[in-house]
Amino acid sequence: MATPDLENRMEEEIFRLTECPPPNFIVRRLRNYKREWHFLLVGDSSFLSTSGNFHGNILLPPDYPNSPPQAINVYTPMDPPIVDMEDSSVYSFLQTWDPNTCSVYVLLVKLAEWISVNATQREAYKPADARTKATQYLKTLHYNSENPVFRELFPEYVDVYKAEIEKRKRLGIEQYCLPFEQKRKRDYSLYSLVIVLILTLFLIIMALCSMLQTLFCLIGSLF
């Protein structure tokens, strides 16, 4: 049973989440049902930047935060699916819920950590090529932008997603969406090349200076 104190804490928490959410998250509450909170998981880690942006929700019980969230769902498809809440640290967190130390903020942080770790382990077992990752990324953007609830709660992302989809299609998936590690290696290779060119130029200049100095000494000895 909800009490004014519980209602006030829930209102304070959703206010903090919308104003200062966990890293890589955007949190909004459903307009006509205040106990359904939606999130968008974005980010710049290797997994999130190449595999998609994920939309989901959290359902709160009437006596929240005395009781844990009733459900946490990720709507955006993951290919292959990697979120099995009954076999995850997220589920363990809900099972050991303590209203004094637990919150939706901490729950979202654990969700992002678990998805990232799970994806890293899967990538090590069965690596995906650039095209597969890019295709999955585009699928998540398209799915989100066609979801009516997503369009209502995150309208600023709909046009961004559509522009991103068109941009990637125009540039070509393989060229535009290289895996994070390949991008980093490519950048490191470019930096290394620049450093080698600078050092080579420096050595050439030093050699020329030495030759000129020797030449001037010879000319001086003749006179």
Side-chain angles (χ1 to χ4, degrees):
M1 181 70 181
T3 66
D5 288 342
L6 294 179
E7 290 283 345
N8 290 336
R9 173 167 168 179
M10 186 180 70
E11 292 296 327
E12 291 175 1
E13 186 171 349
I14 187 61
F15 177 79
R16 290 196 300 269
L17 279 171
T18 53
E19 294 297 318
C20 187
N24 302 328
F25 277 96
I26 301 168
V27 181
R28 308 270 168 84
R29 179 164 60 180
L30 201 62
R31 187 174 303 175
N32 57 353
Y33 187 51
K34 61 183 179 180
R35 296 186 181 279
E36 182 175 336
W37 299 357
H38 286 249
F39 60 84
L40 177 63
L41 175 56
V42 296
D44 53 7
S45 69
S46 59
F47 165 63
L48 295 176
S49 64
T50 57
S51 297
N53 290 190
F54 300 99
H55 165 225
N57 78 338
I58 295 174
L59 301 178
L60 304 179
D63 60 342
Y64 177 84
N66 288 343
S67 296
Q70 292 173 320
I72 176 169
N73 306 293
V74 179
Y75 293 131
T76 309
M78 299 184 183
D79 186 21
I82 64 171
V83 177
D84 181 4
M85 292 301 173
E86 293 187 358
D87 185 25
S88 70
S89 57
V90 177
Y91 183 77
S92 300
F93 177 74
L94 294 176
Q95 292 296 102
T96 57
W97 183 269
D98 181 351
N100 296 315
T101 58
C102 299
S103 65
V104 172
Y105 186 105
V106 180
L107 176 60
L108 291 176
V109 171
K110 288 188 174 295
L111 174 65
E113 290 175 349
W114 187 76
I115 290 177
S116 183
V117 169
N118 195 300
T120 301
Q121 293 173 347
R122 183 185 58 170
E123 179 71 13
Y125 175 75
K126 187 178 180 181
D129 58 23
R131 184 179 183 84
T132 300
K133 290 185 177 182
T135 300
Q136 167 63 10
Y137 182 92
L138 294 179
K139 284 182 178 179
T140 67
L141 300 190
H142 183 266
Y143 184 91
N144 289 343
S145 62
E146 296 298 321
N147 184 316
V149 177
F150 181 90
R151 294 172 67 90
E152 176 187 347
L153 294 178
F154 306 97
E156 69 273 25
Y157 278 86
V158 176
D159 291 338
V160 172
Y161 282 178
K162 289 183 177 179
E164 181 73 2
I165 291 171
E166 291 302 318
K167 182 178 181 180
R168 288 181 181 246
K169 287 182 178 179
R170 186 170 62 250
L171 294 177
I173 288 177
E174 293 87 348
Q175 295 299 320
Y176 191 78
C177 191
L178 292 174
F180 177 77
E181 289 299 326
Q182 288 188 20
K183 288 182 179 180
R184 185 166 61 179
K185 289 178 180 178
R186 183 186 61 186
D187 292 341
Y188 285 167
S189 298
L190 179 60
Y191 297 149
S192 300
L193 178 61
V194 172
I195 292 174
V196 169
L197 289 175
I198 292 174
L199 289 175
T200 302
L201 182 61
F202 176 77
L203 292 174
I204 291 174
I205 293 174
M206 293 296 293
L208 289 174
C209 290
S210 179
M211 290 174 60
L212 288 174
Q213 185 177 10
T214 302
L215 181 60
F216 288 151
C217 290
L218 290 174
I219 295 174
S221 63
L222 292 175
F223 296 97

